[in-house]
Amino acid sequence: MTNNIYAPHLMTIKKMRDEAENIKTFTLEFNNPALKESFAYRPGQFGEVTIFGVGEAPISITSSPAMKGYLELSVAGVGKVSRAMHAKKVGDVIGFRGPYGNTFPFDEVTGKNILYVAGGIGLAPLRSNINQMFAEREKFKKISILYGCRYPKMLCFMDDLAKWEKVPNSEVLMTVDTNPANDWKGNIGVVGSLLPKIEIDLANTVAFVCGPPIMIHFVILDLLKMGFKGDRIITTMERRMECGLGKCGHCNIGEKYVCFDGPVFSYQQLKDLGEEI
C-alpha cells in the first residue's frame, strides 16, 4: 500500500452509456476487493480521475452512497482528459483518487422542502444527493426538481427524472433554451423560467443549485428576488476544483480552499468570502 497521496487507485470500467450529447456515464469498480468493500463517500464529493499517459481531472461523483460496490461518473467530453476517457472501453483500467471535498447538507435539511435547480451536466452531482434523499424519503417534505438544458439532446438522466416524478410529494419540471429540431413539447426558456410554475414555501425550503456558472448566477438572483435567504441557497464551485488536496493553491477563495473546504457552499458563505456569483 502506498503512502503517496497523489497515487491513484486502479478502477475498471464495468459499464458505459451515452447519457446525452457528448456526455457519457461510466460505472467503475475498484480492482482492490478490500477497497471496493470499504470505500465510502457522501453526495457532493469528487475524485481525481487519471487517464494514464494523458493526465488527471476532478470529476464529481454522481452515484448515490446508497448503492454499494461501485461508482458512477458522468463526464462531458470537453477537455484532454475527458475526451481520452470517452475513448475508453468497457474493461479498460483508469485511476481514481479521492473522495475529496465537503458534502451537501443532509441531516441539516431534514424536515424541509427541497428545491433542486440544475442546468446541463450540473445535475450529475445533485443526482447523488437526490437519490440519497429518495432513499430516505420520509425525512423530507416536498422535493421539487427543476432541470434545464440548451436543447433536448443535452438532457441527462432521463430515466432518473421519469422515476423521480413518480415519487409521492415530488415533482419534476424540465425546460430547454431552444428547440432546433422541433422535437420538444415541454417548456422553452431558461431553467429560472420554471420557478414561477411551482409553489414554494419560502420559510421552510432549501434550494440546491448546480450548473454552468452563468446559470447559477441568474438562478441565485431569481431566488434572492423571491425572498430566499443566503444560507438557504446551496451551490457548488466545481469550476474551481483542482488537485483535490488543497496543495496546489489554485482553488482558494479568500481563506478557503474549494478542494478542501468546498466545493459545496451556501450563497451566504460565498458572499462573505467575497466571491462573485
Side-chain angles (χ1 to χ4, degrees):
M1 179 68 73
T2 177
N3 292 320
N4 185 342
I5 58 175
Y6 294 101
H9 301 288
L10 300 181
M11 301 193 79
T12 297
I13 298 173
K14 291 295 184 179
K15 296 179 183 176
M16 295 170 58
R17 69 172 183 268
D18 292 324
E19 194 66 60
E21 185 175 276
N22 201 32
I23 297 173
K24 294 180 182 292
T25 294
F26 299 81
T27 301
L28 307 173
E29 187 176 281
F30 285 103
N31 288 9
N32 182 326
L35 190 57
K36 175 185 174 183
E37 184 68 24
S38 63
F39 185 80
Y41 63 96
R42 298 290 296 172
Q45 292 190 292
F46 67 100
E48 296 285 338
V49 170
T50 296
I51 304 299
F52 298 107
V54 179
E56 68 172 12
I59 306 290
S60 291
I61 300 170
T62 189
S63 49
S64 166
M67 308 302 290
K68 302 295 184 183
Y70 66 89
L71 287 180
E72 284 186 333
L73 306 178
S74 293
V75 180
V78 294
K80 183 173 69 172
V81 174
S82 57
R83 286 195 294 270
M85 191 170 180
H86 274 216
K88 292 293 183 183
K89 298 179 176 62
V90 171
D92 285 347
V93 174
I94 65 172
F96 180 90
R97 58 181 176 90
Y100 298 122
N102 65 352
T103 69
F104 288 115
F106 193 84
D107 293 336
E108 299 88 338
V109 300
T110 56
K112 304 291 186 185
N113 299 307
I114 305 298
L115 169 62
Y116 289 102
V117 186
I121 199 172
L123 185 56
L126 293 179
R127 174 178 178 251
S128 178
N129 204 45
I130 293 169
N131 279 325
Q132 185 73 7
M133 284 191 174
F134 279 131
E136 302 179 52
R137 185 66 185 85
E138 72 283 357
K139 294 184 177 180
F140 305 93
K141 294 186 176 179
K142 181 181 176 183
I143 296 180
S144 302
I145 301 166
L146 310 184
Y147 179 48
C149 281
R150 287 167 54 196
Y151 48 87
K153 288 184 178 180
M154 297 191 74
L155 290 166
C156 300
F157 309 115
M158 295 299 285
D159 290 344
D160 291 285
L161 290 158
K163 179 180 64 179
W164 295 335
E165 70 177 353
K166 295 177 181 176
V167 178
N169 202 24
S170 307
E171 61 184 347
V172 173
L173 280 73
M174 292 189 287
T175 187
V176 295
D177 296 349
T178 60
N179 186 23
N182 197 30
D183 56 353
W184 175 254
K185 305 300 182 185
N187 189 78
I188 295 178
V190 296
V191 70
S193 68
L194 297 176
L195 287 168
K197 298 180 182 294
I198 62 172
E199 293 185 8
I200 299 175
D201 175 8
L202 285 176
N204 199 31
T205 300
V206 178
F208 293 74
V209 183
C210 191
I214 190 67
M215 182 228 106
I216 292 176
H217 171 81
F218 283 106
V219 168
I220 288 179
L221 288 181
D222 288 340
L223 294 173
L224 293 172
K225 288 177 184 176
M226 293 169 65
F228 272 86
K229 294 182 179 179
D231 61 353
R232 293 293 185 94
I233 302 172
I234 310 299
T235 189
T236 68
M237 298 299 292
E238 289 192 311
R239 61 189 169 90
R240 300 289 294 272
M241 297 186 309
E242 294 288 345
C243 74
L245 297 163
K247 300 291 187 183
C248 71
H250 292 160
C251 69
N252 67 300
I253 299 175
E255 63 183 12
K256 301 292 186 182
Y257 291 87
V258 169
C259 287
F260 190 77
D261 301 300
V264 178
F265 294 92
S266 71
Y267 170 72
Q268 189 62 52
Q269 288 175 313
L270 292 173
K271 183 179 178 182
D272 292 343
L273 289 168
E275 177 70 6
E276 294 288 338
I277 295 296

